[in-house]
Amino acid sequence: MTHSNFKNLTRAGLVLSCGLLLSACSDNDSVATPAPAPDVEFEIQITNLTNAQPLSPPAIVIHEAGYHAFVDGQAASLGLEMLAEGGDNDQLLAEAVTESQYIAHVDIPAPIAPRAKSPVYNISVPQADLANAHVSLVSMLVRTNDAFSAIDGKSISGLQVNETMRLSAPVWDAGTEANSEATDTIPGPGLDGEGFNATRDDRIAVVRFHQGIVGNTKTEDGLTTSVLGEQHRFDNPSMRISITRVR
Amino acid sequence: MKLKQIIAATSLISAVATPAAAVDLQVSITNLTQGMHFTPRLLVAHEGSVDLFEAGQAASTPLAWIAEAGVIEDPANDQDFGTYLEDASRADNNAWRAFGGLLAPASTSSVYNFDTNNHPYLSLVSMLVPTNDAFVGLDSWRIPTTPGTYTIELNAYDAGTEANDEINPTRSNITEAGTGNALGGYGVPGMAAPGPTQPLLGTGGNGVAIQIDANNQLADDPSDREGSVHIHRNVLGDADSNGGVSDLDSRVHRWLNPVARITVVVPAQ
């Protein structure tokens, strides 16, 4: 399922608008009205490379250069904070749709299980928007305080039909929640700790590479107050993303 | 860790272009870890129909033979990659060789001369020892046709076929529950630990992902295995060489990706 806002339809240009006004165009037999160019279509599939970290329903946004769902070294937006702390992508997508660079996004309801591939997601991009089309993708590692896996604005305009691009995504820390790993701070089924909390209490208040979780396994560096075990640890990359242009 | 971006052209255009001549690649591999040896490397040049492993999917039996025991080809074994790749159904779709012996930490291999027999993709698998089922892998890298030197960084994967107990297999008083089998190798718990890796191993660990029971036995139940190939979450280790949870040393055996760098020279034709 894809969303294109009205602005994109008008950006497709005079050809489309002419096609919508059939009565005006058909009177002029000497000017051929070209059919509107079909949308470009992509298939996106995500592999969750972690051992035991579910990935929350990803926010996938197609956009022009200049939009950033996150910036390494800067404070997270409210939408990123809500996604990274609680796995809810609504606010981040709502923020993206209002940006001037927005082109389209995918509505995904389901998380991606650890060690598994997601379903194939389909997204369409109007032909006129292809030249400056980039993809950003953000998903929470659910058994963490505010870790997320993401890619920032990768260009997809150069993909030919039937060509596939493969990307790897590292794990980021949103900088909005302390990495206590405490029972009441880790969300998701079975633990059901708190997700989003508007108070920001991270030691470092900006987005940066995640340092990994410690876990409570009883070894010299086990964190006895952690609800996470050694199985929740992760290394980079955490996601592999495959993007294929199919039309 | 840098983001890696691999553009793999699957367009049919390459099939109708002038086919590449027989290509002799020169491949060398650097072990970037501080405490893991690499078992002999399996190099395969292949068509798209051959896939040694796929993250997010269950490991094949031949992959498990490498990931758990470092076995590529064994005359007595019809489940390894040597048998699999030579099978009539796919022998024309690949060219393969096993290269080298154990590659020590922080070391670079000699240069391997590898004839790809015109196949377009390159894959590599080697076990990290001592571990339960960790391997370093390259999955279907599109071999460039432009001559030059190419550098690729590789990550450590977990095959998902054996629980990460981190138990030293030379502890002969510990056996597999139900069978009494000795530890280590394919299909049994315990790490694989060839001779050169043993001096730095501890003993007495109780077990990380699964624990030794009151009868000195380890039960590697299928439900304790992760089930599919994924990026390895790292070994744990501890600093107690006579007890603790692990027989690995947390100060020696851990790594962060990438664990290997390979250099591939595509020669001028």
Side-chain angles (χ1 to χ4, degrees), chain A residues 47-51 114-117 150-152 154-155 159 161-170 172 209 217-221 230-237 240, chain B residues 1 3-11 54-57 140 155 157 166 208-209 226-240 245 250 254-257:
Chain A
T47 305
N48 182 340
L49 295 171
T50 72
N51 180 56
R115 297 172 262 118
K117 290 180 186 265
I151 55 170
D152 171 33
K154 292 302 172 193
S155 173
L159 281 175
V161 176
N162 290 329
E163 189 176 358
T164 298
M165 169 190 295
R166 279 190 278 278
L167 306 172
S168 294
W172 302 89
F209 273 161
T217 302
K218 288 180 174 53
T219 175
E220 280 69 26
D221 63 351
E230 64 86 18
Q231 69 274 18
H232 293 109
R233 294 174 300 149
F234 48 82
D235 194 355
N236 290 321
R240 185 156 295 131
Chain B
M1 189 216 125
L3 290 177
K4 284 197 284 286
Q5 187 165 336
I6 303 169
I7 310 274
T10 56
S11 149
E54 188 67 21
Q57 293 178 3
S140 302
N155 297 318
Y157 292 89
E166 300 189 13
V208 176
E226 302 93 351
S228 54
V229 176
H230 56 282
I231 291 289
H232 205 288
R233 64 188 187 270
N234 213 335
V235 293
L236 194 66
D238 60 33
D240 183 347
V245 298
S250 56
R254 290 184 184 175
W255 66 75
L256 288 177
N257 285 326

Coordinates of all heavy atoms in Angstrom, one line a residue, chain A residues 47-51 114-117 150-152 154-155 159 161-170 172 209 217-221 230-237 240, chain B residues 1 3-11 54-57 140 155 157 166 208-209 226-240 245 250 254-257:
Chain A
T47 N 15.9 -8.3 5.9 CA 16.3 -9.5 6.7 C 16.7 -8.9 8.1 O 17.6 -8.0 8.2 CB 17.5 -10.2 6.0 OG1 17.2 -10.6 4.7 CG2 17.9 -11.4 6.9
N48 N 16.1 -9.5 9.1 CA 16.4 -9.2 10.5 C 17.6 -10.1 10.8 O 17.5 -11.3 11.0 CB 15.3 -9.5 11.4 CG 15.6 -9.1 12.9 OD1 16.7 -9.0 13.3 ND2 14.5 -8.9 13.6
L49 N 18.8 -9.4 10.9 CA 20.1 -10.2 11.1 C 20.4 -10.5 12.6 O 21.4 -11.1 12.9 CB 21.2 -9.4 10.5 CG 21.2 -9.2 9.0 CD1 22.3 -8.3 8.5 CD2 21.4 -10.6 8.3
T50 N 19.5 -10.0 13.5 CA 19.8 -10.2 14.9 C 19.4 -11.5 15.4 O 18.6 -12.2 14.7 CB 19.2 -9.1 15.8 OG1 17.7 -9.4 15.8 CG2 19.4 -7.7 15.2
N51 N 19.9 -11.9 16.6 CA 19.6 -13.2 17.1 C 18.2 -13.2 17.8 O 17.5 -14.1 17.8 CB 20.6 -13.6 18.1 CG 20.3 -15.0 18.7 OD1 20.2 -16.0 18.1 ND2 20.3 -15.0 20.1
P114 N 13.2 -11.9 14.7 CA 14.7 -12.1 14.6 C 15.0 -13.3 13.6 O 14.3 -14.2 13.5 CB 15.1 -12.5 16.0 CG 13.9 -12.1 16.9 CD 12.7 -12.1 16.0
R115 N 16.2 -13.1 13.0 CA 16.7 -14.2 12.1 C 15.8 -14.6 11.0 O 15.8 -15.7 10.5 CB 17.0 -15.5 13.0 CG 18.0 -15.3 14.0 CD 18.1 -16.5 14.9 NE 17.3 -16.4 16.1 CZ 16.3 -17.1 16.5 NH1 15.9 -18.1 15.7 NH2 15.7 -16.9 17.6
A116 N 14.9 -13.6 10.6 CA 14.0 -13.9 9.5 C 13.9 -12.8 8.5 O 14.4 -11.7 8.7 CB 12.6 -14.1 10.2
K117 N 13.3 -13.1 7.4 CA 13.1 -12.1 6.3 C 11.7 -11.6 6.4 O 10.7 -12.4 6.8 CB 13.3 -12.8 4.9 CG 14.7 -13.1 4.6 CD 14.8 -13.7 3.2 CE 16.2 -14.2 2.9 NZ 17.0 -13.2 2.2
A150 N 18.7 1.6 10.9 CA 18.2 2.5 9.9 C 19.1 2.8 8.8 O 20.4 2.7 9.0 CB 17.8 3.9 10.6
I151 N 18.6 3.2 7.7 CA 19.4 3.8 6.6 C 18.8 5.1 6.3 O 17.6 5.4 6.5 CB 19.4 2.9 5.3 CG1 18.0 2.6 4.8 CG2 20.2 1.6 5.5 CD1 18.0 2.0 3.5
D152 N 19.7 6.0 5.9 CA 19.4 7.4 5.7 C 19.6 7.9 4.3 O 20.7 8.1 3.8 CB 20.3 8.3 6.6 CG 20.2 9.7 6.4 OD1 19.1 10.2 6.0 OD2 21.3 10.4 6.5
K154 N 19.2 6.7 0.9 CA 20.0 6.1 -0.1 C 19.3 6.3 -1.5 O 18.1 6.1 -1.6 CB 20.2 4.6 0.1 CG 21.0 4.3 1.3 CD 22.4 4.9 1.2 CE 23.2 4.7 2.5 NZ 24.4 5.5 2.5
S155 N 20.1 6.7 -2.5 CA 19.5 7.0 -3.8 C 19.0 5.7 -4.4 O 19.8 4.7 -4.5 CB 20.5 7.7 -4.7 OG 20.0 7.8 -6.0
L159 N 18.5 2.7 -10.2 CA 18.2 1.3 -10.4 C 17.4 1.1 -11.7 O 16.5 1.8 -12.0 CB 17.3 0.8 -9.3 CG 18.0 0.4 -8.0 CD1 17.0 0.1 -6.9 CD2 19.0 -0.7 -8.2
V161 N 15.2 -1.5 -14.3 CA 14.2 -2.6 -14.1 C 14.9 -3.9 -13.9 O 15.8 -4.2 -14.6 CB 13.2 -2.6 -15.2 CG1 12.2 -3.7 -15.0 CG2 12.5 -1.3 -15.3
N162 N 14.5 -4.6 -12.9 CA 15.1 -5.9 -12.5 C 16.4 -5.9 -11.9 O 17.1 -6.9 -11.7 CB 15.1 -6.9 -13.7 CG 13.8 -7.4 -14.1 OD1 12.8 -7.5 -13.3 ND2 13.6 -7.7 -15.4
E163 N 16.9 -4.7 -11.5 CA 18.1 -4.5 -10.8 C 17.9 -4.4 -9.3 O 16.9 -3.9 -8.9 CB 18.9 -3.3 -11.3 CG 20.3 -3.1 -10.8 CD 21.0 -1.9 -11.4 OE1 20.4 -1.2 -12.2 OE2 22.1 -1.7 -11.0
T164 N 18.8 -5.0 -8.5 CA 18.6 -5.1 -7.1 C 19.8 -4.4 -6.4 O 20.9 -4.6 -6.7 CB 18.5 -6.5 -6.6 OG1 17.4 -7.2 -7.2 CG2 18.4 -6.6 -5.1
M165 N 19.4 -3.6 -5.4 CA 20.4 -2.9 -4.5 C 20.3 -3.6 -3.2 O 19.2 -3.8 -2.7 CB 20.1 -1.4 -4.5 CG 20.8 -0.6 -3.4 SD 20.1 1.0 -3.2 CE 20.5 1.7 -4.8
R166 N 21.5 -3.9 -2.6 CA 21.5 -4.5 -1.2 C 22.2 -3.6 -0.3 O 23.4 -3.2 -0.6 CB 22.1 -5.9 -1.2 CG 21.1 -6.9 -1.7 CD 21.6 -8.3 -1.5 NE 22.6 -8.7 -2.5 CZ 22.2 -9.3 -3.7 NH1 20.9 -9.4 -3.9 NH2 23.1 -9.6 -4.5
L167 N 21.6 -3.2 0.8 CA 22.2 -2.3 1.8 C 22.3 -3.0 3.1 O 21.5 -3.9 3.4 CB 21.3 -1.0 1.9 CG 21.0 -0.3 0.6 CD1 20.0 0.8 0.9 CD2 22.3 0.3 0.1
S168 N 23.2 -2.6 4.0 CA 23.3 -3.1 5.3 C 23.1 -1.9 6.3 O 23.6 -0.8 6.0 CB 24.7 -3.7 5.6 OG 24.8 -4.9 4.8
A169 N 22.4 -2.1 7.4 CA 22.1 -1.1 8.3 C 22.7 -1.4 9.7 O 22.5 -2.5 10.2 CB 20.6 -0.8 8.5
P170 N 23.4 -0.4 10.3 CA 23.9 -0.6 11.6 C 22.9 -0.2 12.7 O 21.8 0.1 12.3 CB 25.1 0.5 11.7 CG 24.6 1.6 10.8 CD 23.8 0.9 9.7
W172 N 21.7 2.1 15.7 CA 21.9 3.5 16.3 C 21.2 3.6 17.7 O 20.3 2.9 18.0 CB 21.2 4.5 15.4 CG 21.7 4.5 14.0 CD1 21.3 3.8 12.9 CD2 22.8 5.3 13.5 NE1 22.0 4.1 11.8 CE2 22.9 5.0 12.1 CE3 23.6 6.3 14.0 CZ2 23.9 5.6 11.3 CZ3 24.6 6.9 13.2 CH2 24.7 6.6 11.8
F209 N 26.0 5.9 17.0 CA 26.1 4.4 16.9 C 25.9 3.8 18.3 O 26.3 4.3 19.3 CB 27.5 4.0 16.4 CG 27.6 3.9 14.9 CD1 28.9 3.9 14.4 CD2 26.5 3.8 14.1 CE1 29.1 3.9 13.0 CE2 26.7 3.8 12.7 CZ 28.0 3.8 12.2
T217 N 23.8 -11.9 31.9 CA 24.4 -13.2 32.1 C 25.6 -13.0 33.1 O 26.4 -12.1 33.0 CB 24.9 -13.7 30.7 OG1 23.7 -13.8 29.9 CG2 25.5 -15.1 30.9
K218 N 25.6 -14.0 34.0 CA 26.5 -13.8 35.1 C 28.0 -14.1 34.7 O 28.5 -15.1 34.8 CB 26.1 -14.8 36.2 CG 24.9 -14.3 36.9 CD 24.5 -15.2 38.1 CE 23.3 -14.6 38.8 NZ 22.2 -14.3 37.9
T219 N 28.6 -13.1 34.2 CA 30.0 -13.1 33.9 C 30.5 -11.8 34.5 O 29.8 -11.0 35.0 CB 30.3 -13.3 32.4 OG1 31.7 -13.2 32.2 CG2 29.6 -12.2 31.6
E220 N 31.8 -11.5 34.4 CA 32.3 -10.4 35.1 C 31.6 -9.1 34.7 O 31.5 -8.2 35.5 CB 33.8 -10.2 34.8 CG 34.7 -11.1 35.6 CD 34.5 -12.5 35.1 OE1 34.2 -12.8 34.0 OE2 34.8 -13.4 36.0
D221 N 31.1 -9.0 33.5 CA 30.5 -7.7 33.1 C 29.0 -7.9 33.0 O 28.3 -7.0 32.3 CB 31.1 -7.2 31.8 CG 30.8 -8.1 30.6 OD1 30.4 -9.3 30.8 OD2 31.1 -7.8 29.5
E230 N 22.1 -12.6 27.5 CA 23.2 -12.5 26.4 C 22.7 -12.8 25.0 O 23.2 -12.3 24.1 CB 24.3 -13.5 26.8 CG 24.0 -15.0 26.7 CD 24.1 -15.6 25.4 OE1 24.7 -15.0 24.5 OE2 23.5 -16.7 25.2
Q231 N 21.5 -13.5 25.0 CA 21.0 -13.7 23.7 C 20.4 -12.5 23.0 O 20.2 -12.5 21.7 CB 19.8 -14.8 23.8 CG 18.6 -14.3 24.4 CD 18.6 -14.5 26.0 OE1 19.7 -14.6 26.6 NE2 17.4 -14.5 26.6
H232 N 20.2 -11.4 23.7 CA 19.7 -10.2 23.1 C 20.8 -9.3 22.5 O 20.5 -8.3 21.9 CB 18.9 -9.4 24.1 CG 17.7 -10.1 24.6 ND1 17.5 -10.6 25.8 CD2 16.5 -10.3 23.9 CE1 16.3 -11.2 25.9 NE2 15.7 -11.0 24.8
R233 N 22.1 -9.7 22.7 CA 23.1 -8.9 22.1 C 23.1 -8.9 20.6 O 22.4 -9.8 20.0 CB 24.5 -9.5 22.6 CG 24.7 -9.4 24.1 CD 26.0 -10.1 24.4 NE 26.0 -11.5 24.1 CZ 27.0 -12.2 23.8 NH1 28.2 -11.7 23.7 NH2 26.9 -13.5 23.5
F234 N 23.7 -8.0 20.0 CA 23.8 -7.9 18.5 C 25.1 -7.2 18.1 O 25.8 -6.6 18.9 CB 22.6 -7.0 18.0 CG 22.4 -5.7 18.8 CD1 23.2 -4.6 18.5 CD2 21.6 -5.6 19.8 CE1 23.1 -3.4 19.2 CE2 21.4 -4.4 20.6 CZ 22.2 -3.3 20.2
D235 N 25.4 -7.5 16.9 CA 26.6 -6.8 16.2 C 26.0 -6.2 15.0 O 24.9 -6.5 14.5 CB 27.7 -7.9 16.0 CG 29.0 -7.2 15.7 OD1 29.1 -6.0 15.5 OD2 30.0 -8.0 15.5
N236 N 26.8 -5.4 14.4 CA 26.4 -4.8 13.1 C 26.8 -5.7 11.9 O 27.8 -6.4 12.0 CB 27.2 -3.4 12.9 CG 26.6 -2.4 13.9 OD1 25.4 -2.3 14.1 ND2 27.5 -1.6 14.4
P237 N 26.1 -5.7 10.8 CA 24.8 -5.0 10.6 C 23.6 -5.7 11.2 O 23.7 -6.9 11.4 CB 24.7 -5.0 9.1 CG 25.4 -6.2 8.7 CD 26.5 -6.5 9.6
R240 N 19.6 -6.3 6.7 CA 20.0 -6.2 5.3 C 18.7 -5.9 4.5 O 17.7 -6.5 4.8 CB 20.6 -7.5 4.8 CG 21.1 -7.5 3.4 CD 22.2 -8.5 3.2 NE 23.4 -8.3 4.0 CZ 24.0 -9.2 4.7 NH1 23.5 -10.5 4.7 NH2 25.0 -9.0 5.4
Chain B
M1 N 31.2 1.2 12.4 CA 31.2 0.3 11.2 C 30.6 1.1 10.0 O 29.5 1.7 10.2 CB 30.4 -0.9 11.5 CG 30.4 -2.0 10.5 SD 28.8 -2.8 10.4 CE 28.5 -2.6 8.7
L3 N 28.5 1.8 6.7 CA 27.5 1.1 6.0 C 28.1 0.5 4.7 O 28.9 1.2 4.0 CB 26.4 2.1 5.6 CG 25.6 2.7 6.7 CD1 24.6 3.7 6.2 CD2 24.7 1.6 7.4
K4 N 27.7 -0.7 4.4 CA 28.1 -1.3 3.1 C 27.0 -1.2 2.1 O 25.9 -1.5 2.4 CB 28.6 -2.7 3.4 CG 29.9 -2.8 4.1 CD 30.5 -4.2 3.9 CE 29.8 -5.2 4.8 NZ 30.2 -5.0 6.2
Q5 N 27.4 -0.9 0.9 CA 26.4 -0.8 -0.1 C 26.9 -1.6 -1.3 O 27.9 -1.3 -1.9 CB 26.2 0.7 -0.5 CG 25.1 0.9 -1.5 CD 24.7 2.4 -1.6 OE1 25.0 3.1 -0.7 NE2 24.1 2.8 -2.7
I6 N 26.2 -2.7 -1.6 CA 26.6 -3.6 -2.7 C 25.5 -3.5 -3.8 O 24.4 -3.8 -3.6 CB 26.7 -5.0 -2.2 CG1 27.7 -5.1 -1.0 CG2 27.2 -5.9 -3.3 CD1 27.7 -6.4 -0.3
I7 N 25.9 -3.0 -4.9 CA 25.0 -3.0 -6.0 C 25.2 -4.3 -6.8 O 26.2 -4.5 -7.4 CB 25.2 -1.8 -7.0 CG1 25.3 -0.5 -6.1 CG2 24.1 -1.8 -8.0 CD1 23.9 0.1 -5.9
A8 N 24.2 -5.1 -6.9 CA 24.3 -6.4 -7.6 C 23.4 -6.3 -8.8 O 22.2 -6.3 -8.7 CB 23.9 -7.6 -6.7
A9 N 24.0 -6.2 -10.0 CA 23.2 -6.1 -11.2 C 22.7 -7.4 -11.6 O 23.5 -8.3 -11.9 CB 24.1 -5.4 -12.3
T10 N 21.4 -7.6 -11.6 CA 20.9 -8.8 -12.1 C 20.2 -8.7 -13.4 O 19.5 -9.5 -13.9 CB 19.8 -9.4 -11.1 OG1 18.8 -8.3 -10.9 CG2 20.5 -9.7 -9.7
S11 N 20.4 -7.6 -14.0 CA 19.8 -7.3 -15.3 C 20.2 -8.3 -16.4 O 21.4 -8.8 -16.3 CB 20.2 -5.9 -15.8 OG 20.3 -5.8 -17.2
E54 N 22.1 -18.3 3.3 CA 21.3 -17.1 3.2 C 20.9 -16.6 4.6 O 20.2 -17.4 5.3 CB 20.0 -17.5 2.4 CG 19.1 -16.3 2.0 CD 19.8 -15.3 1.0 OE1 20.7 -15.7 0.3 OE2 19.3 -14.2 1.0
A55 N 21.2 -15.4 4.9 CA 20.8 -14.9 6.2 C 19.3 -14.8 6.3 O 18.7 -14.4 5.4 CB 21.5 -13.5 6.4
G56 N 18.8 -15.2 7.4 CA 17.3 -15.2 7.6 C 16.7 -16.6 7.2 O 15.5 -16.7 7.4
Q57 N 17.5 -17.5 6.7 CA 17.0 -18.9 6.4 C 17.9 -19.9 7.1 O 19.0 -19.7 7.4 CB 17.0 -19.1 4.9 CG 16.0 -18.1 4.2 CD 16.0 -18.3 2.7 OE1 16.7 -19.1 2.1 NE2 15.2 -17.5 2.0
S140 N 27.6 -14.7 -2.5 CA 27.2 -14.3 -3.9 C 27.6 -12.9 -4.3 O 26.7 -12.1 -4.6 CB 25.7 -14.5 -4.1 OG 25.4 -15.9 -3.8
N155 N 31.6 -10.2 7.6 CA 31.1 -10.3 8.9 C 31.0 -11.8 9.4 O 31.1 -12.7 8.6 CB 29.7 -9.7 9.0 CG 29.6 -8.3 8.6 OD1 30.5 -7.5 9.0 ND2 28.7 -7.9 7.8
Y157 N 28.9 -14.7 11.0 CA 27.6 -15.2 11.1 C 27.5 -16.3 12.1 O 28.4 -17.0 12.4 CB 27.1 -15.8 9.7 CG 26.9 -14.7 8.7 CD1 28.0 -14.4 7.8 CD2 25.7 -14.1 8.5 CE1 27.8 -13.4 6.8 CE2 25.5 -13.1 7.5 CZ 26.6 -12.8 6.7 OH 26.5 -11.9 5.7
E166 N 29.8 -22.5 24.5 CA 31.2 -22.0 24.7 C 31.9 -23.0 25.7 O 32.7 -22.6 26.5 CB 31.1 -20.6 25.3 CG 30.5 -19.6 24.3 CD 30.7 -18.1 24.7 OE1 31.4 -17.8 25.6 OE2 30.0 -17.3 24.1
V208 N 27.1 -21.2 28.4 CA 26.5 -19.8 28.2 C 25.0 -20.0 27.8 O 24.1 -19.8 28.6 CB 27.3 -19.0 27.2 CG1 26.6 -17.7 26.9 CG2 28.7 -18.7 27.7
A209 N 24.8 -20.4 26.5 CA 23.4 -20.5 26.0 C 22.7 -21.7 26.6 O 21.5 -21.7 26.8 CB 23.4 -20.5 24.5
E226 N 19.3 -21.6 17.4 CA 18.6 -20.4 16.9 C 17.8 -20.6 15.6 O 16.8 -19.9 15.4 CB 19.6 -19.2 16.7 CG 20.5 -18.9 17.9 CD 21.8 -19.6 18.0 OE1 22.0 -20.5 17.1 OE2 22.6 -19.3 18.8
G227 N 18.2 -21.6 14.8 CA 17.3 -22.0 13.7 C 17.6 -21.4 12.4 O 17.3 -22.1 11.4
S228 N 18.1 -20.2 12.3 CA 18.4 -19.7 11.0 C 19.7 -18.9 11.0 O 20.1 -18.4 12.1 CB 17.3 -18.9 10.4 OG 16.9 -17.9 11.3
V229 N 20.3 -18.7 9.9 CA 21.6 -18.0 9.8 C 21.4 -16.5 10.1 O 20.4 -15.9 9.6 CB 22.2 -18.1 8.4 CG1 23.5 -17.3 8.2 CG2 22.5 -19.6 8.0
H230 N 22.2 -15.9 10.9 CA 22.1 -14.5 11.3 C 23.5 -14.0 11.7 O 24.4 -14.8 11.8 CB 21.1 -14.3 12.4 CG 21.4 -15.1 13.6 ND1 21.2 -16.5 13.8 CD2 22.0 -14.7 14.8 CE1 21.6 -16.9 15.0 NE2 22.1 -15.9 15.6
I231 N 23.6 -12.7 11.8 CA 24.8 -12.1 12.2 C 25.1 -12.5 13.7 O 24.2 -12.4 14.6 CB 24.8 -10.5 12.1 CG1 24.7 -10.1 10.7 CG2 25.9 -9.9 12.9 CD1 26.0 -10.3 9.9
H232 N 26.3 -13.0 13.9 CA 26.6 -13.6 15.2 C 26.6 -12.5 16.3 O 27.1 -11.3 16.1 CB 28.0 -14.2 15.2 CG 28.2 -15.2 16.2 ND1 28.4 -14.9 17.5 CD2 28.4 -16.6 16.1 CE1 28.6 -16.1 18.2 NE2 28.6 -17.1 17.4
R233 N 26.0 -12.8 17.4 CA 25.8 -11.8 18.5 C 27.1 -11.6 19.3 O 27.1 -10.8 20.2 CB 24.7 -12.1 19.4 CG 24.8 -13.4 20.2 CD 23.5 -13.8 20.9 NE 23.6 -14.9 21.8 CZ 23.3 -16.1 21.5 NH1 23.0 -16.5 20.3 NH2 23.3 -17.1 22.4
N234 N 28.1 -12.4 19.0 CA 29.4 -12.3 19.6 C 29.5 -13.4 20.7 O 28.5 -13.8 21.3 CB 29.7 -11.0 20.3 CG 31.2 -10.7 20.2 OD1 32.1 -11.5 20.1 ND2 31.5 -9.4 20.2
V235 N 30.7 -13.9 20.9 CA 30.9 -14.8 22.0 C 30.9 -14.0 23.3 O 31.0 -12.8 23.3 CB 32.2 -15.7 21.9 CG1 32.1 -16.6 20.7 CG2 33.4 -14.7 21.7
L236 N 30.7 -14.7 24.4 CA 30.6 -14.0 25.7 C 32.0 -14.1 26.4 O 32.6 -13.1 26.7 CB 29.5 -14.5 26.5 CG 29.1 -13.7 27.7 CD1 28.4 -12.4 27.3 CD2 28.0 -14.5 28.6
G237 N 32.4 -15.3 26.7 CA 33.6 -15.5 27.4 C 33.5 -15.1 28.9 O 32.4 -14.5 29.3
D238 N 34.5 -15.3 29.6 CA 34.6 -14.7 31.0 C 36.1 -14.7 31.3 O 36.9 -15.0 30.5 CB 33.8 -15.5 32.0 CG 34.2 -17.0 32.2 OD1 35.5 -17.2 32.0 OD2 33.4 -17.8 32.4
A239 N 36.4 -14.2 32.5 CA 37.8 -14.0 32.8 C 38.3 -15.1 33.8 O 39.3 -15.0 34.5 CB 38.1 -12.7 33.4
D240 N 37.5 -16.2 33.9 CA 37.8 -17.3 34.9 C 38.2 -18.5 34.1 O 37.3 -19.1 33.4 CB 36.5 -17.6 35.7 CG 36.8 -18.6 36.8 OD1 37.8 -19.3 36.7 OD2 35.9 -18.8 37.7
V245 N 31.1 -19.1 33.4 CA 30.1 -19.5 32.5 C 30.7 -20.1 31.2 O 30.1 -20.9 30.6 CB 29.0 -18.4 32.2 CG1 28.3 -18.0 33.4 CG2 29.7 -17.3 31.5
S250 N 36.9 -13.6 27.8 CA 36.2 -12.4 27.3 C 37.2 -11.4 26.8 O 36.9 -10.5 26.1 CB 35.3 -11.8 28.4 OG 36.1 -11.6 29.6
R254 N 36.6 -12.3 21.9 CA 35.5 -11.5 21.3 C 35.9 -10.8 20.1 O 37.1 -10.6 19.9 CB 34.9 -10.5 22.3 CG 34.2 -11.1 23.5 CD 33.6 -10.0 24.4 NE 33.0 -10.6 25.6 CZ 32.5 -9.8 26.5 NH1 32.6 -8.5 26.5 NH2 31.9 -10.4 27.6
W255 N 35.0 -10.4 19.3 CA 35.3 -9.6 18.1 C 34.2 -8.6 17.9 O 33.2 -8.6 18.5 CB 35.3 -10.6 16.9 CG 34.0 -11.2 16.5 CD1 32.9 -10.6 16.0 CD2 33.6 -12.5 16.9 NE1 31.9 -11.5 15.9 CE2 32.2 -12.7 16.4 CE3 34.2 -13.6 17.4 CZ2 31.5 -13.9 16.5 CZ3 33.5 -14.8 17.6 CH2 32.2 -14.9 17.1
L256 N 34.4 -7.7 16.9 CA 33.4 -6.8 16.4 C 33.5 -6.9 14.9 O 34.6 -6.9 14.3 CB 33.5 -5.4 16.9 CG 33.1 -5.1 18.3 CD1 33.4 -3.6 18.6 CD2 31.7 -5.4 18.6
N257 N 32.4 -6.9 14.2 CA 32.5 -6.9 12.7 C 33.1 -5.7 12.1 O 33.0 -4.6 12.7 CB 31.0 -7.1 12.1 CG 30.5 -8.5 12.3 OD1 31.3 -9.4 12.2 ND2 29.2 -8.6 12.6

